[in-house]
Amino acid sequence: MVSSLKELIEEPGLVNAEDPEAKFTSSGVSWQAYETLLVKLADNSHYRITYLDGVLEIVSPSKKYETIKSRLAILIALYLIRKRIKNLPMGSTTFKNSFHKVGVEPDECYCIGEEKDIPDLAVEVNITSGSISKLETYRRLGVAEIWFWERNELKLYHLRNNSQQEQAIVFPETYGYEQIAKSEVLPQLDISLLIKCALIPDSVTACLEFEQGIT
């Protein structure tokens, strides 16, 4: 990865860089610099960019990350189809709000039911920890539910605090989100089955076993 934000924006070969599971973090970054970087990387899906209160974090994902991300997306799509749940998958769309000084690109995200400006569900794959609280970024955007894949487990969080407030009052330790055992966005989904099948090396076997377990 590059060593400075200026180098990151100006480096002509950046779009072709391949640096597995690396992170670049810079503080004191203006909103204009953040938006300039988004334009620079508009055609490059390799990086994930997060912005919060002037702190910019860029992640170059690893093969392990991409494998889990893709597997979860396949299984969630299979579940939504089998259960006939109307949805709009929005992938890694950039969501940002200049007033709240926040921008984030989920690994996967979904509107359940009708299309909305902000997804109902975001999925994040965390192979290594970052310097920005993703829960706070999602709270400010008003995303209802976040799933974090960490250490071969899924941690689910549902928003209980008004995203328009400056700081979370309810569940402040988790930025207004309550950790839950069962999804409220997809309440019939067996999370333990989803985790089990996401860890199966062969994608066909994973899908078949997951499909058989859907009730």
Side-chain angles (χ1 to χ4, degrees):
M1 296 289 281
V2 294
S3 58
S4 71
L5 182 61
K6 183 175 185 295
E7 181 184 353
L8 186 69
I9 293 174
E10 297 179 354
E11 173 57 48
L14 177 64
V15 294
N16 297 317
E18 293 183 3
D19 192 1
E21 201 52 45
K23 281 188 173 67
F24 172 84
T25 304
S26 181
S27 59
V29 178
S30 69
W31 185 262
Q32 182 179 2
Y34 163 61
E35 292 204 315
T36 298
L37 182 62
L38 290 179
V39 173
K40 166 74 177 182
L41 299 179
D43 297 324
N44 182 14
S45 61
H46 181 69
Y47 292 96
R48 292 290 177 269
I49 306 171
T50 305
Y51 182 91
L52 179 66
D53 293 334
V55 178
L56 179 77
E57 181 177 272
I58 304 169
V59 178
S60 171
S62 66
K63 179 180 178 181
K64 181 179 179 181
Y65 160 97
E66 294 289 0
T67 300
I68 290 296
K69 170 186 175 299
S70 299
R71 182 63 51 77
L72 287 171
I74 291 170
L75 295 175
I76 292 171
L78 178 58
Y79 177 81
L80 293 171
I81 292 170
R82 281 294 308 273
K83 300 297 287 185
R84 305 294 191 270
I85 297 174
K86 186 178 179 181
N87 70 95
L88 176 66
M90 303 176 76
S92 297
T93 300
T94 300
F95 299 98
K96 57 184 180 177
N97 186 306
S98 59
F99 179 79
H100 291 295
K101 295 180 288 187
V102 60
V104 68
E105 297 172 352
D107 292 321
E108 299 291 342
C109 62
Y110 307 85
C111 290
I112 304 302
E114 62 184 17
E115 181 178 354
K116 309 174 186 71
D117 293 332
I118 298 297
D120 301 293
L121 171 64
V123 180
E124 291 276 351
V125 176
N126 294 337
I127 302 300
T128 57
S129 60
S131 59
I132 293 178
S133 169
K134 289 294 185 70
L135 282 175
E136 176 62 5
T137 64
Y138 285 118
R139 181 187 75 86
R140 294 190 192 184
L141 291 168
V143 179
E145 194 163 293
I146 319 298
W147 298 357
F148 288 105
W149 179 273
E150 297 176 348
R151 299 182 179 89
N152 294 336
E153 292 289 343
L154 269 175
K155 295 181 179 179
L156 281 59
Y157 295 87
H158 199 91
L159 185 62
R160 305 298 187 201
N161 197 90
N162 188 333
S163 64
Q164 300 304 311
Q165 295 174 339
E166 184 175 349
Q167 292 183 332
I169 298 175
V170 180
F171 297 100
E173 296 83 4
T174 47
Y175 302 93
Y177 284 86
E178 179 185 10
Q179 186 169 0
I180 56 178
K182 180 180 178 181
S183 173
E184 296 183 19
V185 173
L186 300 174
Q188 295 182 344
L189 175 59
D190 185 338
I191 297 299
S192 61
L193 176 65
L194 177 61
I195 295 170
K196 176 184 175 182
C197 293
L199 291 170
I200 297 175
D202 178 69
S203 60
V204 174
T205 303
C207 289
L208 289 174
E209 184 165 335
F210 185 68
E211 191 173 23
Q212 290 175 357
I214 295 175
T215 57

